[in-house]
């Protein structure tokens, strides 16, 4: 199977990949990407012409690297000990990769990424930081993201009341020019506003201010990160030979295997770069999950024996030199012996993550062209937002949420088991406060489903996944099985100035997304975990070991969950 490093690709090509590269050569695909030719993807330039700034932003950011470093030093020297990023989707997942991969340099503030409305998560960060020594980053391309603005409403009065706090100078903003957030930052006298190039979509923005400002504040050498990305840019400009163009090769491989039925792009990583899969998940899902097709990214999946995996997989191993790679190396070797397609991407050190960001962005654009998909829009993302807004209006008028139609653990597992089949995937949608205990329980659930039904799985925290895999769930292949897991949201946290709490907002987002999934005929069930969430999760896993119940004769349950079997 093919292996590659940051540069030269393996010369031994699978015929499917070779054919894709030949098509690219005929279509002059690489040259047309770099000439910003929108017709490579669609005949109309809407959301293409004004979304290609990621191709050239690295040069601009290299010019800003010294300034970013100086700003980070001034923040550190001011006595700031924590930096809390308030963002969603592309504004949070890139910074989360950098935070997890590099940690904070000695003497620089701790970086927190808060991309949730679940009250337990909000409360945990609030209780851990010291408000007077914390800098808050409001990161939103649109400048009006409901989660970001709700979190700002929560933290602003906390800072205002804290002894020794400095008001607006403890906040900065990253947004597009002319947004409401830009005006808010001016009105509240934020320390600084970073105006990002507007021709970059959120999921392609990690190498712009959205990723680099939080990285710099954590003491990460952003210049080195950008230089690695710059080297990858040069390699991805090569029109020939295409098997030595890292981004073109990966894009061709993903698209070619997807066309053959291997649409589950399964990202395996070294331990130190495990969070990279979260970022890839959003990039692939939101870029390609539309028009009834797309790549289905699988990240963070527990390892299983080779026979557990079906013929719908394409594996990509992101391998960091010198990391604890023994178990993953053994796993990958076993997959290759079993005949599974694997591409290995070798990182010399952690700064090569910068190169990987660009490689995958370029590869995603190429895969979109080969799959005849527009990789820069997100036509279905707004639906869940609109549903959430409608639910919140009901809360305002009636004082309570509408019925949420949850199933019992027994009913939920029986429904899932009756629909499990090769070629499908299970999506765990967890409206929960992250904890190691929850992570272990959900990993066990994923592994049981994989081992028993040979079905791939994803796991996303809500509402984060709404800005990530949510597009794929509604617009991609109708092969998903969706299990919403919702904790009790107790104790709750108010949203200042609003007639609802964070718990109500999170539940409204869960309900709005469930309604959207059902409107698209997706198989989706919801289970309320109650106050003993871990116990309920363990019960779900135990139920998987029991013989599956027969599929209900009725196409809809008395509780209203969608039951239609997805297309194979």
């Amino acid at each position: 199977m093919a292996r590659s490093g940051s540069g030269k690709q393996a010369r031994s090509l699978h015929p499917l990949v070779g054919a894709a590269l030949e098509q690219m050569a005929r279509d002059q695909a690489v040259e047309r990407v770099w000439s910003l030719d929108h017709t490579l993807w669609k005949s109309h330039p809407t959301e293409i012409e004004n979304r290609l700034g990621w191709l050239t932003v690295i040069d601009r950011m290299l010019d800003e690297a010294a300034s970013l470093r100086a700003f980070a030093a001034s923040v550190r020297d001011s006595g700031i000990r924590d930096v809390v990023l308030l963002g969603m989707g592309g504004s949070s997942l890139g910074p989360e990769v950098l935070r997890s991969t590099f940690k904070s340099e000695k003497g620089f503030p701790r970086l927190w990424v808060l991309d949730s409305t679940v009250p337990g998560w909000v409360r945990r960060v609030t209780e851990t930081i010291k408000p007077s020594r914390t800098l808050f980053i409001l990161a939103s391309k649109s400048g009006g993201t409901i989660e970001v603005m709700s979190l700002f409403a929560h933290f602003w009065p906390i800072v205002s009341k804290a002894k020794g706090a400095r008001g607006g100078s403890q906040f900065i903003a990253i947004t597009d020019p002319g947004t409401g957030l830009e005006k808010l930052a001016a009105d509240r006298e934020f320390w600084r506003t970073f105006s990002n190039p507007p021709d970059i979509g959120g999921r392609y923005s990690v190498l712009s201010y959205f990723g680099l400002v939080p990285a710099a504040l954590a003491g990460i050498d952003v210049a080195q990160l950008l230089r690695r990305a710059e080297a990858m840019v040069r390699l991805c400009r090569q029109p020939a030979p295409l098997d030595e163009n890292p981004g073109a090769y990966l894009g061709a491989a993903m698209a070619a295997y997807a066309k053959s039925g291997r649409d589950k792009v399964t990202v395996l990583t070294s331990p130190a770069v495990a969070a990279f899969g979260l970022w890839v998940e959003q990039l692939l899902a939101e870029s390609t999950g539309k028009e009834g097709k797309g790549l289905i990214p699988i990240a963070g999946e527990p390892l299983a024996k080779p026979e557990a995996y079906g013929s719908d997989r394409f594996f990509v191993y992101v391998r960091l030199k010198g990391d604890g790679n023994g178990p993953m190396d053994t796993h990958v070797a076993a997959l290759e012996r079993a005949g599974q397609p694997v591409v290995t991407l070798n990182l010399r050190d952690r700064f090569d993550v910068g190169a990987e960001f660009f490689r995958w962005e370029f590869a995603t654009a190429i895969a979109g062209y080969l799959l005849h998909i527009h990789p820069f829009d997100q036509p279905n993302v707004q639906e869940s937002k609109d549903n959430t807004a409608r639910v919140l209006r009901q809360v305002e008028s009636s004082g309570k949420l509408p019925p949420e139609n949850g199933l019992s653990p027994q009913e939920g597992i029986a429904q899932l088991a009756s629909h499990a089949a090769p070629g499908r995937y299970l999506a765990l949608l967890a409206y929960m406060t992250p904890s190691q205990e929850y992570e272990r329980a959900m990993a066990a659930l994923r592994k049981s489903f994989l081992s028993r039904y040979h079905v791939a799985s994803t796991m996303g925290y809500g509402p984060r996944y709404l800005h990530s895999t949510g597009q794929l769930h509604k617009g991609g292949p109708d092969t998903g099985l969706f299990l919403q897991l919702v904790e009790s949201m107790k104790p709750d946290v108010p949203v200042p100035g609003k007639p609802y709490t964070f718990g109500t907002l999170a539940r409204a987002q869960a309900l709005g997304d469930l309604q959207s999934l059902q409107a698209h005929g997706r198989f989706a069930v919801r289970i309320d975990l109650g106050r003993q969430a871990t116990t309920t999760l363990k019960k779900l896993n135990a139920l998987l070991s029991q013989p599956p119940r027969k599929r209900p004769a009725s196409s809809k349950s008395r509780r209203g969950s969608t039951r239609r079997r997805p297309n194979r």
Side-chain angles (χ1 to χ4, degrees), residues 452-463:
R452 181 164 186 172
Y453 299 107
H454 312 292
V455 170
S457 67
T458 67
M459 198 289 287
Y461 282 109

Side-chain angles (χ1 to χ4, degrees), residues 391-405:
V391 171
L392 289 175
R393 286 195 295 271
Q394 289 181 258
V395 171
E396 291 186 38
S397 62
S398 68
K400 61 181 180 179
L401 285 162
E404 297 172 89
N405 300 323

